[in-house]
């Protein structure tokens, strides 16, 4: 029973880490937008109001990414217990 619980936890943590990879990709996209201040599609300048919103989004994404980092450490612990 404990082994089944550990496998279930391992599966959920793996799914969480996959979500972390997607978040990391979004972080890179937002950082690029902030660095260039230009829309990559239409080449329009990103205004100050939009840049502020992007900065807030970046902060939220970085917090989420840190939480996924914790999932990686926990996944390693679960894997060790499964042996």
């Amino acid at each position: 029973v404990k082994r089944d619980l550990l496998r279930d936890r391992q599966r959920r943590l793996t799914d969480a880490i996959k979500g972390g990879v997607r978040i990391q990709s979004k972080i890179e996209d937002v950082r690029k937008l902030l660095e260039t201040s230009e829309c990559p599609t239409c080449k329009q300048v990103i205004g100050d109001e939009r840049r502020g919103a992007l900065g807030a989004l970046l902060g939220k994404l970085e917090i989420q990414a840190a939480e996924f980092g914790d999932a990686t450490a926990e996944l390693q612990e679960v894997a060790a217990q499964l042996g």
Side-chain angles (χ1 to χ4, degrees), residues 2-79:
K2 182 178 179 181
R3 193 164 192 77
D4 290 339
L5 292 173
L6 287 171
R7 283 191 184 127
D8 182 56
R9 183 71 182 144
Q10 184 180 36
R11 182 189 50 77
R12 285 186 279 128
L13 288 167
T14 301
D15 290 345
I17 290 169
K18 289 177 186 175
V21 170
R22 287 188 294 273
I23 287 175
Q24 197 61 41
S25 176
K26 289 180 184 179
I27 287 172
E28 291 171 15
D29 292 345
V30 171
R31 282 186 179 153
K32 186 173 183 179
L33 287 172
L34 289 170
E35 288 172 9
T36 62
S37 296
E38 181 181 88
C39 173
T41 304
C42 66
K43 304 298 182 193
Q44 288 186 346
V45 174
I46 297 172
D48 290 340
E49 186 175 316
R50 183 69 178 139
R51 284 179 52 80
L54 287 170
L57 175 61
L58 180 61
K60 290 177 185 177
L61 290 170
E62 287 176 338
I63 290 170
Q64 291 176 354
E67 292 170 357
F68 285 113
D70 295 341
T72 301
E74 188 175 345
L75 178 60
Q76 290 173 347
E77 183 180 318
V78 169

